[in-house]
Amino acid sequence: SMPDIEYVVQMKGITKVYPNGIAANQGVDFSVKKGEIHALMGENGAGKSTLMKMLFGLEQPTEGEIIVNGEKVNLTSPTVAISKGIGMVHQHFMLVPSLTVAENMVLGMEPKSKGFIDYKKAVQITEEFSKKYNLEVDPDAKVRDIPVGMKQKVEILKALVRGAKILILDEPTAVLTTQETSELFKELINLKNQGHTVIFISHKLDEIKEITDRLTIMRAGKSMGVYNTADISKEEISRLMVGRDVVLKVEKEKAEPTDVVLKVRNLNYTNEWNKKMLDNLSFDVRKGEILGIAGVEGNGQRELVDMLFNLNVPDSGTAAVNGENIIGISQRKIRDMGVSLIPEDRMTFGIASTGTIEENLISDRCAQKRYNSGILFNKKNIREDSDKLIKDYAVLCKSRNQQVGMLSGGNIQKVVVAREFSCNPGLIIADQPTRGIDVGATEFIRKKLVELSREGAAVLLVSADLNEVMELSDSLIVMVNGKISAYFEDTSVLNDTIMGEYMLGLKHQSEEEIRRVQHGE
């Protein structure tokens, strides 16, 4: 018989470097004991999901080894991981909406009698596992008709039906209501009592304290250590999660803001899963200042930026630039009002990757007289301006005719920034402007943001990078659950501990305090 192994999973010295040179994990050790609920904690981008994708065979480590049940394994695919008893429930469920629960349950499993699994058998398997693990689902319901909490149960059962003894759950409560969350927790305790092991990826402190036995904290691709949940305070977890290692000092004079450029009032937005993502949000961004929005991701920041650039329409509320409404207005018109956007997802929204650098640099201003006198583009002006931008923004490329998609991440971002910063914008919305790019490009872009704000632009900076948002912002908002939980007129009073407590919801200012520090209220 197998010896009783204390650790069902041991990941040793795991490093993952992507082809673009970004290291998502650096020398991470991660060990999980049999029959425990173990949290893997960290802010978004800390490397948690990458580490778990390697345990589930979706990605392979660049260095390091993985040991499952005492045996060194090479997890080349999810199929191999499943054969070793590892299952994963992703944030975005992998179910086929048009099929029933029972059909999804057995999808892709070995064909049984007469070359196929008969439907009755599928229902029987579903009912048997549903009962055994006390995970109630309706075998005959089509997946598209069931609530999100039940979809998650189907995913968990699917993994158990395939023999999973170790379950990885990626932020399982992100899409659940409070009732569904407490139901899920009962089910996880039940699984644990039946000898299963659960790895719970999360950044929610209350949940972790409630349900886990031990936790491992990650920050910036490294492990910050493993702790018994009972022995570590929420404040301490928060400090380890968001603490800043490298503080890149940004030199800037004190802001002297003047007129309100962007005025947002009472924005409300409920997403397709009926979750309130923006809850009566109001703030101003003034000429000559950088207003930062900090927060752990998923607290409404993305929805806010989408509203301001017409990728989404709010349920109610207003947003105006220099007194003119921008909600529901075409992006072309928003740009004509002097608004620039550095989008979070530069590959999808920021560039046309098959176009040349030159085409990308002038794509937003083809209509301008300088380039376009009637029928013909003015090639000479286009060429001169592109070359100047390439030089001013230190874009490393062969020439302006190189395809943008062939550049490195940092240089692609410089092309986006060169285009967005050079059209004399009155308002710059910078959404994660330096995510996933090298230190040199990061420093360059941060300097430019400060420079433009001091020349009179209003800058709204949305960033999950605490270092960035604290160093660059003149005033700062913290968002939690679509609300403003704190507003600081002056960022020089802030430190990691204060920020961590507000970002993770341990503290929040009263509505009066928030109103008092907001301008002109």
Side-chain angles (χ1 to χ4, degrees):
S1 69
M2 281 287 291
D4 183 47
I5 297 159
E6 188 190 9
Y7 289 107
V8 285
V9 170
Q10 290 171 286
M11 300 180 82
K12 297 182 175 174
I14 300 287
T15 293
K16 174 69 183 179
V17 182
Y18 287 105
N20 63 5
I22 299 287
N25 291 156
Q26 301 167 50
V28 177
D29 291 337
F30 178 69
S31 298
V32 183
K33 293 178 180 171
K34 182 172 170 27
E36 72 170 344
I37 299 180
H38 193 118
L40 182 57
M41 301 203 67
E43 287 195 280
N44 284 29
K48 319 180 289 284
S49 292
T50 302
L51 190 68
M52 290 302 99
K53 281 179 182 162
M54 289 187 271
L55 184 55
F56 190 56
L58 283 163
E59 302 204 353
Q60 279 63 49
T62 313
E63 284 168 39
E65 58 177 12
I66 300 176
I67 295 157
V68 179
N69 296 320
E71 147 197 37
K72 188 174 181 319
V73 291
N74 187 11
L75 303 173
T76 47
S77 73
T79 313
V80 177
I82 291 164
S83 74
K84 303 288 177 197
I86 298 169
M88 183 165 184
V89 176
H90 300 269
Q91 244 179 322
H92 305 290
F93 305 139
M94 306 291 184
L95 301 166
V96 182
S98 58
L99 297 180
T100 65
V101 167
E103 286 164 339
N104 269 282
M105 202 56 71
V106 297
L107 204 64
M109 286 175 76
E110 292 311 297
K112 297 286 180 319
S113 71
K114 304 197 186 62
F116 64 94
I117 287 192
D118 58 272
Y119 187 69
K120 243 174 35 204
K121 183 89 184 359
V123 172
Q124 194 192 324
I125 291 172
T126 305
E127 284 171 345
E128 178 193 324
F129 274 81
S130 178
K131 208 160 143 186
K132 179 178 177 190
Y133 293 107
N134 198 17
L135 286 153
E136 286 174 39
V137 296
D138 172 0
D140 295 314
K142 289 230 190 319
V143 161
R144 63 163 169 254
D145 300 330
I146 63 176
V148 82
M150 193 185 283
K151 286 182 187 159
Q152 194 174 59
K153 289 181 199 175
V154 176
E155 284 279 27
I156 293 172
L157 283 170
K158 244 177 81 177
L160 296 168
V161 166
R162 284 159 182 66
K165 286 283 179 219
I166 300 158
L167 262 186
I168 305 165
L169 301 176
D170 190 357
E171 302 211 12
T173 64
V175 291
L176 300 183
T177 63
T178 323
Q179 297 88 317
E180 286 171 329
T181 297
S182 55
E183 204 175 312
L184 171 71
F185 285 3
K186 285 195 195 91
E187 288 149 3
L188 295 182
I189 301 281
N190 183 16
L191 280 171
K192 167 181 151 172
N193 294 340
Q194 298 200 34
H196 290 271
T197 304
V198 176
I199 302 172
F200 190 120
I201 306 179
S202 179
H203 54 237
K204 296 189 177 170
L205 300 173
D206 293 330
E207 297 181 353
I208 291 311
K209 288 297 274 183
E210 183 183 336
I211 194 173
T212 64
D213 301 296
R214 293 194 310 144
L215 56 94
T216 297
I217 298 173
M218 287 186 71
R219 178 164 97 220
K222 296 191 178 74
S223 167
M224 307 305 291
V226 57
Y227 304 85
N228 291 323
T229 308
D231 303 340
I232 183 169
S233 70
K234 290 186 207 170
E235 285 71 16
E236 183 65 4
I237 297 173
S238 144
R239 198 182 58 74
L240 288 162
M241 264 170 65
V242 303
R244 301 178 294 158
D245 293 334
V246 212
V247 177
L248 290 168
K249 279 278 168 245
V250 177
E251 294 303 317
K252 63 184 208 292
E253 297 145 39
K254 196 164 161 41
E256 308 208 339
T258 55
D259 310 339
V260 171
V261 175
L262 174 65
K263 183 173 181 172
V264 169
R265 287 296 176 272
N266 311 108
L267 276 191
N268 287 290
Y269 177 70
T270 309
N271 71 11
E272 55 199 300
W273 298 292
N274 228 1
K275 191 171 177 187
K276 189 141 208 200
M277 296 309 293
L278 295 178
D279 194 345
N280 223 14
L281 199 68
S282 299
F283 62 87
D284 295 335
V285 189
R286 297 169 298 176
K287 193 172 159 60
E289 80 171 336
I290 299 177
L291 175 70
I293 295 189
V296 174
E297 265 173 289
N299 281 287
Q301 305 94 312
R302 168 179 298 165
E303 286 75 7
L304 170 66
V305 173
D306 286 353
M307 305 271 119
L308 297 175
F309 234 73
N310 198 23
L311 293 164
N312 240 337
V313 182
D315 307 336
S316 61
T318 59
V321 171
N322 299 321
E324 216 179 318
N325 166 50
I326 59 164
I327 297 288
I329 301 293
S330 77
Q331 293 186 2
R332 169 81 271 148
K333 285 215 175 88
I334 294 173
R335 286 191 174 282
D336 291 342
M337 289 158 80
V339 182
S340 276
L341 173 71
I342 303 175
E344 172 186 21
D345 180 349
R346 55 177 170 263
M347 296 313 282
T348 310
F349 296 114
I351 56 159
S353 60
T354 53
T356 64
I357 295 173
E358 175 176 84
E359 286 162 350
N360 274 279
L361 282 171
I362 62 136
S363 62
D364 66 326
R365 55 193 80 150
C366 295
Q368 286 181 11
K369 286 277 187 288
R370 176 165 165 72
Y371 299 134
N372 190 346
S373 39
I375 312 162
L376 298 170
F377 279 120
N378 185 329
K379 287 282 184 2
K380 182 167 159 296
N381 286 356
I382 292 176
R383 281 198 299 266
E384 277 174 14
D385 288 10
S386 299
D387 284 343
K388 184 170 181 342
L389 286 173
I390 287 170
K391 186 164 163 287
D392 289 353
Y393 283 79
V395 179
L396 293 176
C397 60
K398 297 196 180 72
S399 86
R400 61 176 179 270
N401 299 317
Q402 196 177 347
Q403 218 186 3
V404 165
M406 308 311 285
L407 301 176
S408 72
N411 283 300
I412 290 175
Q413 190 69 337
K414 283 180 182 174
V415 170
V416 172
V417 165
R419 180 185 70 223
E420 297 298 323
F421 285 5
S422 61
C423 53
N424 195 16
L427 171 66
I428 297 166
I429 300 169
D431 189 6
Q432 318 293 353
T434 63
R435 167 169 293 166
I437 61 177
D438 60 283
V439 180
T442 294
E443 202 180 3
F444 179 84
I445 288 168
R446 288 177 181 169
K447 273 204 178 101
K448 281 281 185 203
L449 274 172
V450 170
E451 206 174 287
L452 286 165
S453 75
R454 295 312 180 252
E455 287 167 9
V459 179
L460 178 64
L461 168 69
V462 178
S463 179
D465 180 333
L466 187 60
N467 196 8
E468 177 161 88
V469 84
M470 282 174 69
E471 285 296 310
L472 287 182
S473 305
D474 301 306
S475 303
L476 185 108
I477 287 170
V478 180
M479 273 181 79
V480 177
N481 290 328
K483 285 192 176 74
I484 293 178
S485 74
Y487 182 104
F488 301 100
E489 180 94 69
D490 176 10
T491 46
S492 61
V493 302
L494 296 176
N495 60 34
D496 308 353
T497 311
I498 296 174
M499 286 301 288
E501 289 178 339
Y502 282 107
M503 281 166 63
L504 296 161
L506 299 176
K507 273 191 181 163
H508 42 86
Q509 295 173 356
S510 71
E511 303 226 346
E512 284 80 87
E513 277 181 283
I514 291 169
R515 263 203 300 277
R516 207 180 56 239
V517 290
Q518 271 176 350
H519 323 297
E521 302 250 331

